[in-house]
Amino acid sequence: MAGGAAPGRVPLVAVAHGSRDPRAAATVAALLDQVPLDVRVAYLDHCAPSLGQALGGLRAAVVLPLLLTEAYHSRVDLPAALNEARARDPLLRVSYGSTLGPHPLLLSALERRLGEAGVPAGDPGTAVVLVSAGSSDARANGVVAETARVWRRSGWWTVTPAYASAARPTPAQAVTALRRAGAPRVVVAPYLLAPGFFADKVRHETLEAGADAVADVLGPAPELVEILLERYKTALNQPAALAG
């Protein structure tokens, strides 16, 4: 994908969730095209190549999950796939890195998207619903709730976490609750990487519930490029341990 990599630099293999919606893969490509490294993409589901296919022919790689929170995929699925790849090729050297979030720059990216929707950052008359995909892993949902708590300090009327699946409140429930609580304006900030089923569902249901604006997904925001480069450097110096 992206060009301009220094000779001999270890390739980055970025692993996205994958979607049947072609907009998702296009968004991942647009993000990775901004990364000044030798980059390969892999997907956990729905799309090719798989992680094993993306690692084919490499002697070394930095593998980063293009995921916003640590949950089952980053803790179990990806390490298992990496262990399989190493079993097939014992000479393969892999440095495994952290998920994109949590990270302070993600709040900057969220505010960028809200600004594009006409919402000034930290407006004390605006309540924000921070919507993640949701997870059966309570720790992942807790990270989103903590991100909302930290973001409240920026001056907003409040910031409320919501989950598009697997947890409560739903985005529509959160919008309704804020309206009942007297919020002057309610906007929605999708904590989602790419467009697809969840993003479309969140937009439709929150606008129907009375949201004043819904921001776009994070997508190829420059802040995510910075996070990827930081995660890459950290993984080279202090790779995360893999089970097995």
Side-chain angles (χ1 to χ4, degrees), residues 3-204:
R9 184 172 289 185
V10 178
L12 164 63
V13 178
V15 188
H17 185 278
S19 171
R20 293 185 179 91
D21 191 320
R23 295 174 298 169
T27 299
V28 169
L31 171 62
L32 297 180
D33 279 344
Q34 299 179 65
V35 179
L37 297 169
D38 177 3
V39 182
R40 298 188 182 194
V41 67
Y43 295 97
L44 289 166
D45 202 2
H46 302 304
C47 300
S50 66
L51 178 56
Q53 290 168 334
L55 289 169
L58 296 180
R59 296 272 55 84
V62 172
V63 174
L64 296 181
L66 281 183
L67 305 170
L68 293 169
T69 55
E70 284 197 16
Y72 190 85
H73 287 312
S74 61
R75 293 192 179 107
V76 179
D77 287 343
L78 274 173
L82 283 173
N83 284 329
E84 287 180 14
R86 293 193 304 182
R88 288 194 302 269
D89 184 359
L91 297 179
L92 175 65
R93 294 182 295 110
V94 173
S95 298
Y96 185 48
S98 302
T99 56
L100 294 171
H103 195 288
L105 282 174
L106 285 172
L107 294 183
S108 299
L110 288 164
E111 290 186 349
R112 173 188 294 277
R113 295 304 184 222
L114 281 172
E116 293 166 355
V119 182
D123 177 19
T126 297
V128 180
V129 179
L130 177 66
V131 181
S132 79
S135 173
S136 58
D137 188 327
R139 292 171 295 181
N141 297 332
V143 169
V144 176
E146 174 63 14
T147 299
R149 188 187 69 79
V150 170
W151 202 13
R152 282 185 208 125
R153 301 173 190 161
S154 299
W156 302 104
W157 196 82
T158 193
V159 180
T160 298
Y163 309 93
S165 69
R168 292 291 184 270
T170 68
Q173 288 171 340
V175 170
T176 299
L178 288 169
R179 284 292 184 207
R180 289 174 178 167
R185 187 186 192 200
V186 179
V187 301
V188 176
Y191 191 64
L192 302 170
L193 180 63
F197 173 77
F198 280 143
D200 291 346
K201 183 172 184 283
V202 166
R203 177 173 294 276
H204 172 75

